[in-house]
Amino acid sequence: MELNSKIPEGPVAEKWTKYKFDHKLVNPANRRKYDVIVVGTGLAGASAAATLGEQGYNVKAFTFHDSPRRAHSIAAQGGINAAKNYKDDGDSVWRLFYDTVKGGDFRSREANVYRLAEVSVNIIDQMTAQGVPFAREYGGLLDNRSFGGAQVARTFYARGQTGQQLLLGAYQQLARQIGLGNVELYNRTELVDVVVVDGRAAGIVVRDLLTGEVSSHSAHAVVLATGGYSNVFFLSTNAMACNVTAAWRAHRKGAAFANPCYTQIHPTCIPQSDDFQSKLTLMSESLRNDGRIWVPKDTNDTRSPDQIPEADRDYYLERRYPSFGNLAPRDIASRAALVEVASGHGVGPLKNGVYLDFSEAIGRLGEKVIEERYGNLFEMYERITDESPYKVPMRIYPAPHYTMGGLWVDYELMTTVPGLYAAGEANFSDHGANRLGASALMQGLADGYFVLPNTIANYLAPKLGEAVVPTDHPEFQAAEAAARDRYAGYLAIDGTRSPDSFHMELGKIMLEHCGMERTKESLTTALELIPPLHEEFKRDLRVTGSGSSTNQTLEKAGRVDDFFELAQLMCLDALTREESCGGHFRAEHQYPDGEAMRDDDHFAHVAAWEWTGDASNPTRHVEPLEFNDVHLAVRSYK
Amino acid sequence: MATTTVARGPAKPGARAKRKAPFPVEFYRSALGKKYVMAITGIMLIGFVIAHMVGNLKMYLGPEEFNHYGEFLRELLVPILPRTVALWLLRIGLIAAFVLHIHAAYSLTRINHAARTVKYQSKRDYIAANWASRTMRYTGVIFGIFLVWHLFDLTFTGTNYHYVRGMPYENVANSLSRVPVALLYIVGNLALGVHLFHGTWSLFQSLGWSNPRFNAWRRNIAVAIAAIVVIGNVSFPIAVLAGAVHT
Amino acid sequence: MKEINVTLKVWRQDGPNAAGHFDTIPAPGIKDEMSFLEMLDLVNERLIADGKDAIVFDHDCREGICGTCSLMIDGQAHGPQKGTATCQLHMRKFADGDEIVIEPWRATAFPIVKDLMVDRAAFDRIIEAGGFITAETGGAPDANITPIPKTVADAAMDAAACIGCGACVAACPNSAAQLFTSAKVSHLNLLPQGQAERYKRVEAMVDTMEELFGSCTNHGECEEACPKSISIDFIALMNSEYLKSKFKNRKRLSQHD
């Protein structure tokens, strides 16, 4: 397998401009002769489908939700970064580029990141034109807030619902195209396989979630915008239905999977309260703008937080990282919380959280200002925990949130399968080993609105006049048959355990052994535990109901099945990456003060894994990373 | 495609309208347009009901004043218009308002029934919808039936009492002195009051009259109008029965 | 943490055209810190253990923002807690021994798919008809070129908070979609960017809405049921916009016909 990143020549700041001039174009009149499939309708998928539809391509969009508006992009709270420098506090495209590369612990591709920073300004313009009600100052101009990992205020936001407003903006553009007939939407339809014919993506096989019917769709190009895989941990901030199936099926058909071990544990989530819990709820990182994080100095302190005097509190982030303080990047803040809880300083009934305290901010700004900034988050917190953050400090703890790893893509966002693209969280491209807050929305929209519609033309242009592979082609037929067998198989096992029970057990293994802190030993243990559990799954799964009408248990079984194989790849990747970087912290590789120790000599590369047919024995390929514009340095937020 | 409702495809706004019609007709074809008509005719009818009630208060000034008021109505706008013409114009306007109000209500009710053909199979627990808002069609129908009877009773023929055309005071006193009739008037007016309580508040919404400056008053105005009309109108049968108004 | 025992009366229906019925399912040992949907997860796990079909219900983010969850709980859309979607409702709102009745949304435009799951594609139709600002990718002017007064941006955001769950329709005695439609109309019509298509938008969206849903009789039940507490003031705004769309001379106002 060859990993050709296809990075254009020239200085980093001119690469995208040069690319846009150099790539092949499809004449507007010819675009309707091309079929493009977009799977997933979150930020990346909806914006890509809408833009391709606007440009004149025949687009088919697929979502397993009832409506494109449900995609989990909607749950992003805090904001979206853009190098607008509206605050004139020293921001620039170059600084956003630099912050993102550094924030990613120098494990991302410079060219991709620069392009991301460059188009970030267009995203804000575009979304504003589409009617996204970003927060404004009294004078009517756009407001900004600051976010973790940056010393400038460059985050645009719409209350605590930025993801919702951006997704609805993209959804509305998509809806317009659907209304105009340029995009055909297939809702409640899940991808179950990717079809590759003659080494090129030919289409997909899908399952209708209402009828269980399996069918094929062919196209000249296929875009996967199917999100991340944090749900491999069972408990995460992802929505219940988020899964890796689309990316994993593509991987099994030849798309390399890059850096699966780069997972982000978000520092500010509500701590787990019990085993029945189905998911963890994120409290926006923006809370760290005004909230101060602390734990009692004494591990045996049982006083209520308001009774603990300042002298007995440890504001550990402010102590350890004086210049960034409570706004230290996510990986650092998460690990610091882990250290506090592991050393017995945790708070709450299960001693599994740290305080995020607003009393100082409320005293300084008044309750009204705090309510305006975070009112909806405080309400959500109170609904879940029955405690008011206006009165008592929030309790927070890190939870799996975002996955920087994903399908390997080149500069054009094309996977190792020609004609198969991955966009948004589903690809690995821009965040390196750690994603900065408010950058996921930026990347999803950059990919969908501005990158893909350009790069896809370069692939399609030479194929003018070529017909799509008919869906009665043997490859399609075989994939359809395999998919039918697969779902019939889950029903036929008739064992004793539900898909959820397996998922929960797998999640516990992953969180314990491949979570915030990993060791060679823990990863080896995980790799010993997962295959037998997967075998048990195949032997003892119980799915009730039938395959011919809506069956959520059956849907879940298919998703958990794929998580098992991904889980092994994550552990293998974590095991072979003998360094600590960003969200990947190997306990063996740390400085005496507990900071992550990178090994640039041996690991300044992307690890892209090739499927070999055996989940426990994939092939590792390497794409070296070159840093010409950002100097490799120890990441310091002190 | 996994969808069980309306087929997708290019949206065709206004596909429902069959033929191009003059714009008020086209507007009335939409449910929102019907709500406007409900609200505007509602205002006309409220105006009539209040004027009717205020005029009837003359009853307490004695037969002469009251009968003179009846004559005044027939003499309205004379000599600009011939005698009774103004009154008839008002009556025609009123009848038109009634017809439109009822037609709009009927059509909207049909739409609403079609919008939920299978009802909830368990008990609903309403929070905001009150007894008045959910019984509009019943209070409307009760009042409508009462109104027809009322017209026969005091305007057209009289109902089994000594009816004399042109002698409204005596007719009222004779008719309402019968206890069942008096009760009927009370019931009819209570139904009207409940109808007005929701209708008056509702018309502000339907007409898009929403403004933080007066929104808090919308409910109060509805309560006031309903209360004034009910108190005024119910006082008549009670006064007759109590002997304060008699022939 | 407290444990309670409840009994569920759940609507079960095999498919869109099948006849449905209530199933009585005991749910003992429910921790009061569970969310309502976690309680249903647990009930489903027990059903699977008994070899029975799990209850089908829509849900996804469980943070009250995606709008996928629904459920008529004890006669109220999204259950008894004001301004709260079902996924954020917690069992501490219920008492030991309670019987909890769970029904799907009911409206002709929201046909039942299975059990408690309904099809809300009718909402998408309304958006497809006009719930957007035509601003194709590329060529947007600088975001700060048009200052938008904070009050206007805030009002637009209040309307835009709609999660499209359908509780307004479910709660409305008339199955009207006025609150959903007016929220989107108001969000876009309030903003300067939305002015060009202002009248065309409200006309197209209202017309599509009326093909599918009932009419508003101003009960106000939708606002109470709305998990985002969106105000019925927006319905009044939509009504006046609709009237204007019919009567204003759009050409002279440079607003799309």
Side-chain angles (χ1 to χ4, degrees), chain A residues 24-290:
Chain A
K24 299 185 204 80
L25 298 173
V26 179
N27 169 347
N30 282 333
R31 290 179 196 156
R32 64 189 154 77
K33 296 173 188 161
Y34 294 99
D35 295 340
V36 181
I37 284 174
V38 179
V39 186
T41 56
L43 281 183
S47 55
T51 306
L52 292 167
E54 284 163 10
Q55 293 187 346
Y57 298 101
N58 284 320
V59 181
K60 283 183 182 177
F62 293 82
T63 171
F64 60 58
H65 287 109
D66 63 334
S67 162
R69 67 182 295 151
R70 313 274 185 224
H72 200 53
S73 310
I74 205 159
Q77 297 167 349
I80 176 167
N81 287 333
K84 279 286 196 185
N85 194 26
Y86 281 160
K87 295 283 172 193
D88 197 25
D89 55 357
D91 200 9
S92 62
V93 169
W94 195 273
R95 185 174 297 283
L96 177 54
F97 158 64
Y98 173 84
D99 284 350
T100 308
V101 172
K102 178 186 170 198
D105 220 351
F106 306 95
R107 287 295 174 266
S108 49
R109 222 184 256 151
E110 277 190 346
N112 285 51
V113 178
Y114 193 90
R115 176 178 65 188
L116 176 69
E118 195 178 338
V119 300
S120 70
V121 297
N122 303 96
I123 294 170
I124 299 305
D125 297 341
Q126 187 63 39
M127 298 320 283
T128 302
Q130 288 172 5
V132 171
F134 285 121
R136 305 233 163 212
E137 311 263 18
Y138 279 98
L141 301 180
L142 289 160
D143 192 17
N144 292 110
R145 53 164 67 141
S146 51
F147 236 68
Q151 285 178 311
V152 293
R154 64 158 77 96
T155 305
F156 294 79
Y157 64 100
R159 295 203 186 137
Q161 291 130 278
T162 318
Q164 180 201 22
Q165 293 311 313
L166 293 173
L167 180 68
L168 293 183
Y171 156 71
Q172 285 160 205
Q173 297 308 303
L174 175 62
R176 175 168 171 262
Q177 292 306 309
I178 294 167
L180 292 170
N182 299 333
V183 177
E184 199 180 339
L185 180 74
Y186 292 78
N187 63 340
R188 294 213 200 259
T189 305
E190 183 167 27
L191 182 145
V192 290
D193 214 345
V194 172
V195 177
V196 179
V197 175
D198 298 333
R200 293 206 313 238
I204 58 173
V205 173
V206 296
R207 183 170 176 273
D208 184 326
L209 298 182
L210 299 190
T211 63
E213 221 171 284
V214 170
S215 61
S216 296
H217 298 267
S218 55
H220 292 95
V222 176
V223 178
L224 300 182
T226 50
Y229 50 87
S230 280
N231 265 353
V232 70
F233 294 104
F234 185 68
L235 281 180
S236 80
T237 64
N238 280 11
M240 302 301 285
C242 293
N243 66 79
V244 76
T245 292
W248 194 255
R249 294 284 136 185
H251 174 58
R252 290 175 61 121
K253 285 296 171 78
F257 208 104
N259 301 336
C261 77
Y262 291 164
T263 53
Q264 178 169 76
I265 313 289
H266 194 290
T268 49
C269 301
I270 302 178
Q272 189 181 358
S273 66
D274 206 342
D275 263 352
F276 59 72
Q277 205 152 331
S278 60
K279 74 156 275 166
L280 296 169
T281 302
L282 175 77
M283 288 284 112
S284 169
E285 179 168 350
S286 63
L287 291 168
R288 291 200 276 146
N289 270 310
D290 287 307

Side-chain angles (χ1 to χ4, degrees), chain B residues 167-190:
Chain B
M167 300 289 276
Y169 185 88
E170 288 73 12
N171 291 341
V172 168
N174 281 330
S175 181
L176 292 188
S177 61
R178 298 170 292 174
V179 174
V181 172
L183 282 177
L184 184 65
Y185 271 86
I186 292 172
V187 169
N189 276 292
L190 286 176

Side-chain angles (χ1 to χ4, degrees), chain C residues 195-248:
Chain C
Q195 293 311 301
E197 293 163 294
R198 178 177 172 189
Y199 295 139
K200 182 190 179 203
R201 171 180 308 118
V202 64
E203 196 175 32
M205 289 179 73
V206 167
D207 286 352
T208 308
M209 170 187 83
E210 290 186 352
E211 283 171 36
L212 302 162
F213 293 94
S215 80
C216 175
T217 51
N218 305 317
H219 290 288
E221 196 65 25
C222 48
E223 179 180 319
E224 290 298 322
C226 177
K228 297 288 152 189
S229 299
I230 290 173
S231 165
I232 54 172
D233 291 352
F234 292 120
I235 298 180
L237 182 68
M238 175 174 79
N239 290 346
S240 77
E241 293 288 293
Y242 188 70
L243 181 73
K244 286 175 200 159
S245 79
K246 295 290 182 191
F247 287 82
K248 292 267 184 185

Side-chain angles (χ1 to χ4, degrees), chain C residues 37-115:
Chain C
L37 296 183
E38 281 164 351
M39 181 274 291
L40 283 181
D41 289 340
L42 180 68
V43 168
N44 271 344
E45 283 295 294
R46 291 173 181 170
L47 285 174
I48 294 171
D50 290 347
K52 293 182 185 146
D53 289 11
I55 303 162
V56 175
F57 61 97
D58 261 325
H59 63 98
D60 199 26
C61 78
R62 303 216 173 175
E63 294 178 18
I65 193 75
C66 74
T68 312
C69 62
S70 54
L71 305 188
M72 205 71 179
I73 301 166
D74 286 340
Q76 289 186 26
H78 289 304
Q81 195 176 359
K82 193 175 156 61
T84 304
T86 298
C87 62
Q88 299 259 284
L89 177 66
H90 280 68
M91 293 309 289
R92 62 178 81 93
K93 299 282 165 193
F94 296 89
D96 191 43
D98 277 0
E99 182 191 69
I100 305 172
V101 185
I102 312 173
E103 254 197 276
W105 287 168
R106 290 196 189 271
T108 311
F110 290 170
I112 294 178
V113 170
K114 192 171 178 179
D115 292 350

Side-chain angles (χ1 to χ4, degrees), chain A residues 427-581:
Chain A
N427 73 28
F428 88 107
S429 72
D430 296 353
H431 304 298
N434 174 53
R435 178 175 68 75
L436 290 180
S439 285
L441 300 178
M442 173 171 72
Q443 187 223 339
L445 290 171
D447 287 358
Y449 273 129
F450 298 105
V451 180
L452 261 180
N454 276 296
T455 60
I456 218 164
N458 192 38
Y459 172 76
L460 292 176
K463 306 207 163 24
L464 186 62
E466 275 180 32
V468 296
V469 179
T471 53
D472 54 8
H473 187 279
E475 284 290 337
F476 275 105
Q477 292 302 312
E480 275 190 32
R484 286 193 193 94
D485 289 350
R486 186 172 162 215
Y487 286 93
Y490 298 134
L491 285 162
I493 298 171
D494 202 24
T496 63
R497 290 183 61 183
S498 71
D500 257 349
S501 77
F502 282 107
H503 191 186
M504 198 184 289
E505 196 174 336
L506 173 68
K508 277 191 179 152
I509 295 174
M510 290 302 285
L511 199 58
E512 195 181 331
H513 301 289
C514 189
M516 238 184 301
E517 198 171 289
R518 299 138 181 197
T519 60
K520 185 172 182 181
E521 202 186 354
S522 74
L523 293 164
T524 321
T525 311
L527 283 169
E528 279 163 13
L529 291 172
I530 297 165
L533 188 62
H534 195 194
E535 283 311 311
E536 191 187 340
F537 173 88
K538 290 176 187 164
R539 211 175 49 239
D540 198 25
L541 175 72
R542 173 183 284 182
V543 177
T544 52
S546 83
S548 59
S549 76
T550 313
N551 188 342
Q552 292 166 316
T553 321
L554 184 59
E555 293 164 23
K556 186 70 193 268
R559 294 166 190 167
V560 174
D561 198 2
D562 290 335
F563 274 136
F564 274 114
E565 291 179 351
L566 167 81
Q568 294 178 62
L569 190 67
M570 285 170 70
C571 295
L572 274 174
D573 189 44
L575 191 61
T576 41
R577 187 167 283 279
E578 289 277 0
E579 64 163 352
S580 293
C581 58

